[in-house]
Amino acid sequence: LGVPDDWYVACEARELGRKPLAVELLGLRLVLFRDAAGRARALFDRCSHRNVPLSMGRVCDGQIECPYHGWRFDGQGQCAHVPGLLDDDRDAGAQGRAVPSLLTREADGYLWVYSTVGATRSVREPFSMPFTKDSAYTTVTHVQDFEGSVHAVAENALDVPHTAFVHRGLFRSGGEKRGIDVEVRRYPDRIEAEYIGEPRPDGVIGRVLSPGGGLVRHWDRFFLPCIAQVEYQLGDDSHVIASVALTPIAEHKTRMFASVSFRMPIPGALVGSLLKPIGLRILDQDVRILARQMENIRAFGGQRYASTKLDVLGPAIQKLLRLAERGEREAQGASEDEPARRSLRIHV
């Protein structure tokens, strides 16, 4: 489950305080805690002694203590103390007593966990959320669970045609369709679609963000292993970029960590108060449609897709993920300096 040698968000950093925190990620039960220096640590949530969840215990001197017999483990998962053993715990770290560990990083308000168990170094760093440290931007965050795979949730987040139906009136009205050009650029580790000549979405959100109407600049992107990103430039003064980290919790269950940064000519707090209820309503609609999709996939014994050019990014995202899950990257016809390109025209 998931892509090897890459990073996924385990939780918002503010969730992890003095107490241990139990999380599920990549089909694993993990315990997160802070060591004596305040650094986040991640271990399997299972004591090597008698299998009790370490998350039920407490943090003592930067080590996590099992609630059953008091065994303590450091940030690397090594057994550091067994109550009752003599000789100053020299025997505590004997072979077979360690708990598997995972690398962590804390950045942009999130706690990231590396997907390869036991790795001592990473081959890359986590994705950097844009504009979160820029004082000209306001950033709002939200966490949402979905029934469905990373691919299904990413495609939904980046799919333009469904907005006129699932979100009718909120994002697009579903009225007269207009032709727009799309340029798709494919890199070894990501794919991007730029929509050229797109009119401002005519739903409530579009009218709030750009009351004057007109054309917008719009990009949709997917970055391995789990980032879906939507960016809108509305005139010279308004810019919105939503980056969502999609963490596979278990098979067909995905947790979305959304970070939305925006710059507007009106105060960010006011914009946030106006748009948040609409955004949550849109998310609720997506949660319901993906739950029904997953229910039907199970009922029919698996997924089956028929795609058209309107499915601009979905098939390419699925291909990127399948390659990455095997430890590969897109190579044919795509490079960092010279991406593979294709152009098409669609009506939305």
Side-chain angles (χ1 to χ4, degrees):
L1 183 64
V3 174
D5 295 322
D6 226 317
W7 296 92
Y8 292 89
V9 173
C11 68
E12 294 183 295
R14 63 186 178 184
E15 290 184 71
L16 185 60
R18 296 181 179 179
K19 297 181 179 180
L21 178 67
V23 300
E24 290 187 60
L25 181 141
L26 302 169
L28 301 173
R29 291 188 176 187
L30 303 178
V31 59
L32 308 177
F33 66 98
R34 295 194 182 278
D35 65 17
R39 293 171 298 191
R41 301 291 191 168
L43 306 178
F44 277 21
D45 195 9
R46 182 178 68 178
C47 181
S48 59
H49 180 216
R50 290 296 183 266
N51 299 286
V52 169
L54 293 170
S55 58
M56 293 176 61
R58 59 177 184 158
V59 179
C60 301
D61 299 324
Q63 299 170 349
I64 189 158
E65 181 184 271
C66 178
Y68 196 12
H69 295 94
W71 285 31
R72 292 184 187 176
F73 301 88
D74 65 18
Q76 286 79 40
Q78 295 298 316
C79 184
H81 176 61
V82 176
L85 282 185
L86 302 178
D87 300 325
D88 299 324
D89 291 334
R90 283 183 296 176
D91 190 42
Q95 186 175 4
R97 292 177 182 163
V99 174
S101 64
L102 295 90
L103 294 174
T104 63
R105 293 285 190 277
E106 197 167 336
D108 302 321
Y110 295 108
L111 177 58
W112 302 76
V113 171
Y114 199 55
S115 60
T116 300
V117 177
T120 58
R121 58 188 299 179
S122 64
V123 298
R124 59 184 61 84
E125 289 302 303
F127 181 83
S128 180
M129 298 290 183
F131 300 106
T132 58
K133 299 179 180 67
D134 191 324
S135 61
Y137 284 75
T138 299
T139 298
V140 296
T141 62
H142 182 71
V143 181
Q144 184 75 56
D145 284 356
F146 289 85
E147 289 291 323
S149 65
V150 167
H151 166 251
V153 181
E155 181 179 38
N156 170 266
L158 303 176
D159 175 60
V160 171
H162 90 279
T163 60
F165 298 93
V166 179
H167 312 307
R168 190 189 304 271
L170 294 178
F171 201 85
R172 288 183 171 84
S173 68
E176 180 184 358
K177 296 186 180 298
R178 304 180 186 180
I180 58 175
D181 295 314
V182 187
E183 180 169 322
V184 180
R185 295 179 280 271
R186 193 176 73 248
Y187 299 83
D189 63 344
R190 65 191 188 276
I191 187 166
E192 174 184 73
E194 180 178 0
Y195 295 83
I196 301 164
E198 178 181 355
R200 181 211 69 186
D202 55 3
V204 174
I205 282 188
R207 293 197 295 272
V208 171
L209 294 178
S210 183
L215 301 180
V216 300
R217 299 188 69 189
H218 170 198
W219 299 263
D220 287 342
R221 306 179 182 98
F222 178 79
F223 302 81
L224 284 172
C226 62
I227 304 295
Q229 186 179 83
V230 178
E231 180 177 6
Y232 276 96
Q233 182 74 49
L234 305 103
D236 295 329
D237 299 325
S238 299
H239 181 219
V240 180
I241 185 162
S243 303
V244 297
L246 303 173
T247 297
I249 302 302
E251 189 175 12
H252 305 308
K253 183 176 181 181
T254 299
R255 181 161 295 156
M256 170 189 284
F257 296 88
S259 176
V260 183
S261 297
F262 54 88
R263 172 178 52 80
M264 299 285 170
I266 56 178
L270 177 60
V271 175
S273 66
L274 290 172
L275 293 185
K276 187 172 183 178
I278 303 171
L280 292 178
R281 174 63 177 158
I282 287 173
L283 271 179
D284 181 62
Q285 291 170 339
D286 283 332
V287 166
R288 284 189 291 143
I289 202 72
L290 287 177
R292 296 297 177 267
Q293 179 191 55
M294 194 67 248
E295 181 182 293
N296 235 23
I297 287 172
R298 290 191 179 106
F300 282 90
Q303 64 187 20
R304 181 178 178 182
Y305 293 140
S307 298
T308 73
K309 68 178 182 179
L310 289 172
D311 303 293
V312 175
L313 294 182
I317 291 171
Q318 188 175 51
K319 181 180 179 182
L320 276 177
L321 284 169
R322 285 177 173 172
L323 285 170
E325 286 163 4
R326 300 197 301 263
E328 303 173 18
R329 289 288 193 269
E330 176 73 72
Q332 185 175 0
S335 70
E336 188 64 33
D337 296 327
E338 192 59 42
R341 301 172 184 265
R342 69 184 178 99
S343 299
L344 58 149
R345 187 169 179 81
I346 63 174
H347 288 76
V348 297

